Amino acid sequence: SFDEQIAAQKDNNEIAIKEANIGYDEEVEIAEKHYRKQLEELKKAKAANKEIYGDEAKFLKDLEKEKTDAIALAVGNRNKKLTQAEYEFSETSLTIAKRRLDSELATTEEIYDNLATAAREEYEESARTTEDKEKLDKELTRVATEQANARIRILIANYKAQLQFGNLTEKETKNVLEQISKLEAGIVVVPDDTIEKAREKLTGLLEFVSEAFGEFGNFGGALFDRKIE
């Protein structure tokens, strides 16, 4: 299931984070151990009154810098691994979410297409009076309106998946929230108007849905470009 797949990705992400931190600790311990060993050898040499070659102060300064550089490298390696883990979790989770939502969209389309087909078949089997035709038109308009609303809800779910897994910037997050509000406001109550009014609302709704999917495509493209920079 979707939840199980996401849970598995979270487990993998936690393992990757743990491994990055363990690697960091090991690298720091190696640097610290080398530093302590060099100091101990210097201390023993001085205690044994052995001749110290070179500038002791410079040696200590260089030794300290060597340790600092090694720790800085360890930090960089850990951050690189953490960033990679975060990226992989985000991308994989979004792929899983998109796969689920694409499946839901396909199922939704099939359901409403079947409803429309059933309405047409009922009309074909009727006496095909004016009343029957009006009933068909009204039912097809209702089905098409509900279908468009379903597409909007799935698009909202896609945006919410981006919020949850997309590692969005503040500007991108604001944009997504605005799009969600716009989409929610765009859902049309299945009209109980005259067929002419209902068709007018449906036409506007279909245009709105088309534009909304276009905007989502543009958003996804911009997001992809930003991530590969």
Side-chain angles (χ1 to χ4, degrees), residues 31-48:
E32 294 280 5
K33 188 175 181 180
H34 174 72
Y35 178 77
R36 291 193 300 268
K37 181 180 179 182
Q38 293 297 312
L39 287 181
E40 186 63 26
E41 288 179 355
L42 176 62
K43 181 179 179 181
K44 287 180 180 179
K46 292 174 69 174

Side-chain angles (χ1 to χ4, degrees), residues 3-211:
D3 290 337
E4 289 173 341
Q5 291 180 68
I6 292 298
Q9 290 306 313
K10 287 181 178 179
D11 289 342
N12 291 339
N13 186 53
E14 288 175 1
I15 291 172
I17 291 173
K18 184 177 181 180
E19 290 177 346
N21 286 326
I22 289 174
Y24 165 78
D25 291 340
E26 290 175 346
E27 289 184 56
V28 170
E29 177 58 28
I30 290 172
E32 294 280 5
K33 188 175 181 180
H34 174 72
Y35 178 77
R36 291 193 300 268
K37 181 180 179 182
Q38 293 297 312
L39 287 181
E40 186 63 26
E41 288 179 355
L42 176 62
K43 181 179 179 181
K44 287 180 180 179
K46 292 174 69 174
N49 292 319
K50 291 183 179 180
E51 184 176 357
I52 306 298
Y53 297 96
D55 187 335
E56 181 180 343
K58 183 178 185 304
F59 170 77
L60 293 173
K61 183 178 180 181
D62 290 344
L63 185 61
E64 184 70 32
K65 183 178 185 302
E66 183 181 2
K67 182 185 74 168
T68 300
D69 289 346
I71 292 176
L73 179 62
V75 170
N77 289 337
R78 179 182 62 176
N79 289 344
K80 184 178 179 179
K81 291 176 182 177
L82 291 176
T83 299
Q84 182 64 24
E86 183 179 37
Y87 174 79
E88 290 179 358
F89 173 69
S90 170
E91 292 302 299
T92 305
S93 298
L94 284 173
T95 298
I96 293 170
K98 185 178 185 303
R99 191 183 305 131
R100 182 193 67 167
L101 293 167
D102 285 348
S103 176
E104 288 182 4
L105 181 59
T107 301
T108 298
E109 296 292 290
E110 182 179 0
I111 289 172
Y112 287 108
D113 286 346
N114 289 340
L115 287 173
T117 298
R120 292 189 184 95
E121 289 176 350
E122 181 180 347
Y123 172 73
E124 290 299 325
E125 294 171 1
S126 72
R128 301 188 191 181
T129 63
T130 301
E131 289 77 13
D132 291 331
K133 185 62 168 66
E134 288 179 353
K135 179 182 177 182
L136 172 63
D137 290 345
K138 188 170 184 179
E139 177 62 8
L140 291 178
T141 301
R142 182 191 69 80
V143 169
T145 300
E146 289 186 349
Q147 187 173 23
N149 284 336
R151 291 171 183 163
I152 291 175
R153 292 188 179 96
I154 290 174
L155 192 53
I156 289 172
N158 268 292
Y159 274 118
K160 288 184 176 179
Q162 290 287 350
L163 284 177
Q164 185 175 3
F165 305 117
N167 292 329
L168 305 181
T169 64
E170 183 177 346
K171 182 178 180 180
E172 289 166 346
T173 298
K174 182 181 178 182
N175 180 32
V176 167
L177 291 172
E178 289 174 351
Q179 290 298 325
I180 289 174
S181 296
K182 179 181 175 182
L183 288 168
E184 289 174 339
I187 292 175
V188 172
V189 176
V190 177
D192 192 24
D193 304 312
T194 62
I195 189 63
E196 291 77 13
K197 188 66 176 177
R199 283 175 176 169
E200 182 182 333
K201 287 184 179 179
L202 175 59
T203 299
L205 178 61
L206 293 175
E207 290 177 355
F208 174 78
V209 171
S210 177
E211 291 174 1

Side-chain angles (χ1 to χ4, degrees), residues 212-229:
F213 271 85
E215 289 177 0
F216 182 75
N218 292 337
F219 169 77
L223 193 62
F224 177 78
D225 291 342
R226 192 262 291 172
K227 287 184 177 181
I228 65 174
E229 286 179 353

